[in-house]
Amino acid sequence: MVIVRVLAGSVQIVSKNKQKVRLAAGLDEHGVLSDESIERGLVCLRNFAEKLQDIPPKNIKIVATATLRLASNAPDFVTPAETILSHKVNIISGEEEAKQIYLGVAYTSANQGNSLVIDIGGASTEIIIGRDLQPLYLTSLNMGCVTFMDKFFVDGMITERGFKDAVSEAHAAIDAHKHTFLCFDWEQCLGASGTPQAITSILVKQGINDAIRLSYLYQLRDECIQAGHLGALEIDGLVPARQAIFPSGLAILIALFESLSINNMQISGGALREGILYGMLENYQKSDRRQQGINQLISRFHIDPQQSKNAKKLSSRLCQQMCKLTQYCDLDTEVVTTAAAALHEIGLHIGFKAYHEHGAYILSHVELTGYTSLQQMMITDLVRMHRLDIDLSVLKNYKPSLQTMLVNAMRILRITIILINRRKGDAIPAVDLSIEDDEWQLNFSVDLKRLHPLIYTELTHECWLQHKAGWRLSIN
């Protein structure tokens, strides 16, 4: 159960209650939901019902998904549930669930181009291709981490045979649709909550700031098999609540990566609940989620809007020039660079001294709407490194392919912040970036030393700081 309020255009979660009921564990081979499973669900709803009394009925929406779609005796649960909640329970179709999951991802993660979205639930897995807020093709498969747990990891035993059988059955389910998905040239793959989120938490806990890759999934599979039993499964970063269903969800995810030739997956900011919530709200259908997220933080932490705009505009221009001159650009380059530029002064909310460190602290503890968790990590580190000495140790937390991008973004951001020093748009000196081999050169159309002596002095010092970091920067 999620409760939100809209305040000054910002959607704020004010309450979130989650209980692990696992209804799907009560489904037998005939699709009958056990009395024990039904009672677990009703106990949960009795706990939730109290808070619904304080919310206008028109502002409440209750949905049920795969387990109650599959259960032949679904009314045995739904009828008492509606009595307890005093509201209708909507059992949505697999297609509707997939659509709402996609919208939840799109609202919170600001998809770029064609996106592949995957959500592994307890009894179903949704796969969706879409662009912006429009799902283009979607399917819901009757396989999930709870049903696979009961089928392939009986009595909690984790075996190589069980993993192979689980992956094989997932392949069979996916293969009926994979050719349609492979026809789309998607630009990013996003995982919605559940197993992907659990894996990301493991990677972060182990100091790996990266997208999910198949090599990581294979390593985790081997660790699960080595554990031998769900009760003995101890992976650094895996929370106890997901321990029992982790191997089964992992097997499904491995099959998805293999069947759909997924190179990497990032984590979205939302899924089904967010899709339903934002769908209930007006004026969010066509809003720029990333700009909305930045604007919320600008307002909340009293950032100078004009200075933020100046930084974002100049960093975007330099970033585009850099991308034309090098091969080190991808979808995230300009996204994270401009966001860090727009938010670089967020730490002033605490104080000027070490405000870059204050800013990084704030960004690591707030939600940044429209950005994936990996993007927010990079934005946080860029804000931390946008001034003073350059500490390259932060790069060790990223894969080599991301390190180069992060270095270029860092260089652009540091240059940008110096050039907007006077805090007036018409006082920013016009600059063009040229790059030859590994040397960056800033070309100015005016006599920078004479007309902007302070900026010139700070840029000269920046050239020295970048030289110490092993980078070459010059002023012309």
Side-chain angles (χ1 to χ4, degrees), residues 317-318 321 429-434 441-445:
R317 183 170 178 271
L318 290 173
Q321 290 182 13
V431 61
D432 286 306
L433 174 65
S434 61
Q441 182 170 283
L442 300 176
N443 303 299
F444 296 93
S445 57

Side-chain angles (χ1 to χ4, degrees), residues 16 107 289 370 382 451 459 469 471:
K16 179 181 286 188
Y107 282 126
R289 276 84 63 208
L382 286 173
L451 295 177
L459 273 180
W471 312 330

Side-chain angles (χ1 to χ4, degrees), residues 15 28 154 173 187 275 349 454:
S15 176
D28 65 17
V154 181
E187 297 179 70
H349 185 75
L454 182 57

Side-chain angles (χ1 to χ4, degrees), residues 12-54:
Q12 298 180 346
I13 295 177
V14 297
S15 176
K16 179 181 286 188
N17 299 86
K18 186 173 184 178
Q19 294 186 17
K20 293 288 184 185
V21 174
R22 291 176 185 156
L23 278 181
L27 282 173
D28 65 17
E29 64 271 18
H30 304 294
V32 177
L33 197 58
S34 70
D35 291 341
E36 294 80 9
S37 187
I38 289 174
E39 183 56 27
R40 288 199 308 271
L42 296 180
V43 168
C44 171
L45 296 184
R46 290 187 188 101
N47 293 334
F48 286 179
E50 181 182 3
K51 278 196 173 181
L52 298 187
Q53 299 173 20
D54 306 323

